Amino acid sequence: MNDRTIPTISEFGAELRSQGFKVFEIKAGENVVRTYNRKDFYKICLVTGRSLVQYADRGIEIDAKTLFFGNPHIPYSWEIISEEYTGYTCLFSESFLKVNGRSESLQESPLFKIGGTPIFTLTEEQRNFIASIFRKMIAEDATGYLFKHDLMRNYINLLIHEALKIQPAENFFKHKNAAERTASMFFDLLERQFPIESIDQPMEFKTAQEFANRLSVHVNHLNRSVKEVTGKPTSAHIAERIIMEAKALLIHTDWTIAEIGYALGFEYPAYFNNYFKRLTGTVPSSVRLQAV
């Protein structure tokens, strides 16, 4: 049996995961891809340039100085349109920011929740002040100061409070085809749960109802939308993706079958075995034996 295989990530992603935080500048003409596990990290981004943002079931065209707050639990994408594009980005996990566990969940913040507005158009004065905070963060991150992470948390909270004082952007547009957008949100959230990289971080959403709750839509609407767009029910897509990941883990890791079942959201090994056999006609151990 091979040693346990963990999917490779970039050096940037490894550093981000180890400390739970990273801040960097976006320079004009820069063509650097920073790979990281987006399902684990919140994002605060200050940009100057033209772009198109798709956030949940809404979109916005940006052609100004903009502050954006990204939630890893809400589907979003960012398409850069202009050639001149600059700014700053801060990535952090909720556990990094909530070190004492006493503050409210970021998912309840108006900046990060699915019904909130995460985009702010800035004046030149606002942009310069917020940029100065990012520059201080970058400078401090390069030091060996013993309490610099405490300082970073203060800076992140300062960015959040500065945004809360600003009027959010109002030029969001709704997507014309609601079914397509809802289906897209579902598939984005489904894929963000994979690959499973640790037994300590099991799959969070496993039923259509759980996905609907996270996306703040009624489960009937989710099911209708996915069926209309793909011709298959939501549960079928979830099951296919779970089985695909289960086979990958059985072949490429040395995790026990019980550990794999738990990582995929099954409380007991028997539940996982029965689920796998019902959908594939065979048991998980057979797939593992074939791979040896």
Side-chain angles (χ1 to χ4, degrees), residues 186-198:
F186 161 72
F187 283 113
D188 189 290
L189 187 57
L190 176 63
E191 285 302 320
R192 285 193 194 192
Q193 299 189 97
F194 304 102
I196 302 293
E197 298 176 331
S198 170

Side-chain angles (χ1 to χ4, degrees), residues 275-289:
Y275 182 88
F276 192 93
K277 185 174 182 180
R278 177 167 56 84
L279 292 170
T280 68
T282 187
V283 292
S285 58
S286 297
V287 175
R288 171 153 285 174
L289 288 173

Side-chain angles (χ1 to χ4, degrees), residues 152-178:
M152 293 301 176
R153 294 182 187 99
N154 289 336
Y155 283 134
I156 292 172
N157 279 304
L158 180 57
L159 289 172
I160 290 172
H161 284 288
E162 286 299 318
L164 290 173
K165 293 189 293 184
I166 301 171
Q167 181 68 28
E170 296 180 348
N171 54 336
F172 268 111
F173 59 85
K174 287 280 187 178
H175 291 268
K176 292 181 180 179
N177 191 325

Side-chain angles (χ1 to χ4, degrees), residues 24-176:
F24 57 90
E25 183 177 2
I26 306 169
K27 298 180 180 179
E30 187 178 47
N31 189 25
V32 177
V33 178
R34 293 177 170 88
T35 305
Y36 66 98
N37 192 339
R38 212 175 86 179
K39 68 182 179 182
D40 293 334
F41 294 94
Y42 289 81
K43 180 178 186 178
I44 304 176
C45 194
L46 172 67
V47 297
T48 301
R50 190 161 171 247
S51 54
L52 175 63
V53 178
Q54 310 283 357
Y55 188 84
D57 63 344
R58 298 173 295 169
I60 186 172
E61 294 180 5
I62 295 171
D63 191 14
K65 305 168 186 68
T66 304
L67 186 63
F68 170 76
F69 292 80
N71 182 339
H73 304 290
I74 298 176
Y76 69 86
S77 64
W78 195 294
E79 179 184 354
I80 298 172
I81 300 174
S82 60
E83 294 183 5
E84 291 297 320
Y85 193 83
T86 60
Y88 300 90
T89 294
C90 170
L91 300 164
F92 59 94
S93 65
E94 184 158 11
S95 60
F96 174 85
L97 191 62
K98 293 179 57 180
V99 68
N100 59 15
R102 289 198 296 267
S103 57
E104 71 169 6
S105 170
L106 285 173
Q107 295 176 44
E108 297 305 314
S109 166
L111 302 178
F112 293 107
K113 67 182 181 181
I114 195 167
T117 303
I119 295 177
F120 300 80
T121 300
L122 309 178
T123 65
E124 184 70 22
E125 181 180 2
Q126 290 169 334
R127 190 266 175 201
N128 290 339
F129 178 70
I130 291 173
S132 72
I133 299 174
F134 275 100
R135 287 193 293 270
K136 290 177 181 178
M137 295 170 77
I138 291 173
E140 290 293 347
D141 195 35
T143 71
Y145 178 50
L146 184 60
F147 302 107
K148 73 176 182 180
H149 283 180
D150 290 331
L151 205 52
M152 293 301 176
R153 294 182 187 99
N154 289 336
Y155 283 134
I156 292 172
N157 279 304
L158 180 57
L159 289 172
I160 290 172
H161 284 288
E162 286 299 318
L164 290 173
K165 293 189 293 184
I166 301 171
Q167 181 68 28
E170 296 180 348
N171 54 336
F172 268 111
F173 59 85
K174 287 280 187 178
H175 291 268
K176 292 181 180 179

Side-chain angles (χ1 to χ4, degrees), residues 1-5 249-257 259-260 288:
M1 179 65 61
N2 295 330
D3 291 338
R4 180 175 302 177
T5 301
L249 294 172
L250 288 165
I251 294 170
H252 299 296
T253 76
D254 64 358
W255 299 356
T256 67
I257 291 175
E259 288 174 331
I260 292 173
R288 171 153 285 174

